[in-house]
Amino acid sequence: MEGTNSGNRRGISPRIIHRILQLLSLKQQQFGSSFDFAIEIGMLEIYNEEVIDLLAPRNESFLEIRYDDSDSMTLPNLTKEAVHSADDISNLLQRGSAKRATATSLNEHCSRSHMIWLDRIKIKA
């Protein structure tokens, strides 16, 4: 899912967000100041039945899953950061990936965890 940091070797998540940024930027050019958008990204890991915020400082990284009034699952303390460019996306992915648990010291890319990438896109038109 993550891929590498270059060109066609990027994973599906960075490519999708990059494409969304491109499309929203085109709409912004087309409609001018009447169209505005903001994208926030959060990253978490599920490992050994714990939910870990991959963008939070180390001492604040464990999360609790909650349910809101409509019985939707939420993560109220998940760190979310705004992205404005493909470089922002790559930097967040690198930061989050560096905090992931790895299965062994022999294979730094192998993980027995699941990374979840959460996007929030707000559009004002």
Side-chain angles (χ1 to χ4, degrees), residues 63-74:
L63 297 169
E64 290 187 27
I65 297 172
R66 307 272 180 180
Y67 290 90
D68 63 15
D69 295 335
S70 63
D71 284 333
S72 295
M73 208 171 17
T74 65

Side-chain angles (χ1 to χ4, degrees), residues 13 40 49 65 111-112 122:
S13 298
E40 293 180 329
E49 299 182 20
I65 297 172
S111 178
R112 294 185 183 193
K122 297 178 185 177

Side-chain angles (χ1 to χ4, degrees), residues 2 45 54 95-102 111 113-115:
E2 298 169 55
E45 173 184 48
L54 294 174
R95 271 184 38 218
S97 294
K99 286 180 68 175
R100 289 188 72 189
T102 54
S111 178
S113 68
H114 301 279
M115 183 181 77

Side-chain angles (χ1 to χ4, degrees), residues 2 41-58 60-65 75 77-79 92-104 107-118:
E2 298 169 55
I41 292 180
M43 293 174 68
L44 62 98
E45 173 184 48
I46 301 173
Y47 181 70
N48 283 341
E49 299 182 20
E50 294 181 323
V51 181
I52 302 159
D53 188 335
L54 294 174
L55 299 178
R58 280 273 182 215
E60 302 172 15
S61 62
F62 291 99
L63 297 169
E64 290 187 27
I65 297 172
L75 298 157
N77 297 321
L78 178 67
T79 303
L92 280 182
L93 188 56
Q94 284 177 350
R95 271 184 38 218
S97 294
K99 286 180 68 175
R100 289 188 72 189
T102 54
T104 68
N107 187 351
E108 67 183 34
H109 300 292
C110 179
S111 178
R112 294 185 183 193
S113 68
H114 301 279
M115 183 181 77
I116 300 172
W117 174 286
L118 301 169

